[in-house]
Amino acid sequence: MAWRSKNNDPTRSLRDEFLLKLTRREHSAHELRIHAKRKGYPADEIDPVLEEFLQRDWVNDQRFAEAMCRHKLLISKWAPGRIVQLLRTKGIPAALAESSVRKYAPADLSDSMEDTLRKKVSAILRESDPRKRKKKVVDYLFRKGYPPDAVFENADRLMKTFHL
């Protein structure tokens, strides 16, 4: 006998679907709206349920943004720029995303950059030309989402730290 997946229950109400998602982690209103559309719930049913959740403060974009920032900065060690991009894809307005990141990001990103670069040192050391090595370091940190001024300010120190 095969067990039916709980996620594919056609009788589950949208309200129950949202509650189930919110028991796992915070979600933005945009994420819940997209989820409901993918599950095939009618558009005229989504907005009233989402409005109820917003009024009851069960869904709060600011709380979601701050939780995501704390997790990505402290646990996943992401750079501020990359977190802002992620929040924007989750439907968070740019101003809220940037203020949330500013609230939790350290003023000095040099330690974070050092931790990030530590993972890439062996690949960078394969390059024999010192100028190309520095370019690889700078490009890698840009791709990770670090601001240009912090990268250029710390590039030489990082090169010395890792004997690049």
Side-chain angles (χ1 to χ4, degrees):
M1 177 169 132
W3 293 96
R4 280 184 36 177
S5 170
K6 291 180 183 178
N7 293 337
N8 294 329
D9 184 1
T11 62
R12 182 180 298 149
S13 74
L14 179 61
R15 191 172 194 283
D16 290 345
E17 188 74 33
F18 283 176
L19 285 172
L20 183 65
K21 292 215 38 102
L22 290 169
T23 59
R24 295 183 191 121
R25 71 167 173 89
E26 290 278 349
H27 287 274
S28 69
H30 177 74
E31 280 184 311
L32 292 175
R33 183 175 279 113
I34 297 297
H35 175 74
K37 286 179 182 177
R38 284 187 184 148
K39 287 283 193 171
Y41 289 97
D44 61 332
E45 187 180 333
I46 296 171
D47 289 333
V49 174
L50 198 52
E51 187 60 37
E52 175 196 351
F53 276 54
L54 288 166
Q55 287 176 357
R56 291 178 179 239
D57 203 32
W58 293 347
V59 174
N60 183 315
D61 284 349
Q62 182 174 356
R63 192 173 58 226
F64 166 76
E66 290 179 1
M68 186 68 72
C69 284
R70 282 191 308 270
H71 175 77
K72 294 300 181 186
L73 282 167
L74 303 175
I75 307 298
S76 301
K77 304 290 186 192
W78 281 24
R82 189 168 176 204
I83 297 169
V84 170
Q85 286 178 333
L86 173 70
L87 290 172
R88 297 288 291 130
T89 64
K90 303 287 186 182
I92 303 299
L96 178 58
E98 290 169 7
S99 70
S100 298
V101 168
R102 257 185 268 115
K103 184 175 182 179
Y104 293 102
D108 182 21
L109 295 171
S110 59
D111 291 339
S112 176
M113 282 191 268
E114 192 172 316
D115 290 342
T116 301
L117 192 59
R118 184 169 282 117
K119 300 169 191 171
K120 191 75 172 172
V121 169
S122 60
I124 294 171
L125 282 172
R126 290 186 211 130
E127 179 59 58
S128 59
D129 185 2
R131 289 180 297 151
K132 288 183 180 178
R133 275 191 206 156
K134 186 172 183 177
K135 181 174 177 2
K136 284 185 180 220
V137 166
V138 169
D139 289 348
Y140 180 69
L141 292 173
F142 282 159
R143 283 192 308 275
K144 287 296 182 180
Y146 289 98
D149 56 337
V151 171
F152 289 129
E153 186 178 301
N154 289 289
D156 290 328
R157 183 190 62 77
L158 290 168
M159 297 289 289
K160 288 177 186 171
T161 300
F162 292 109
H163 308 290
L164 300 172

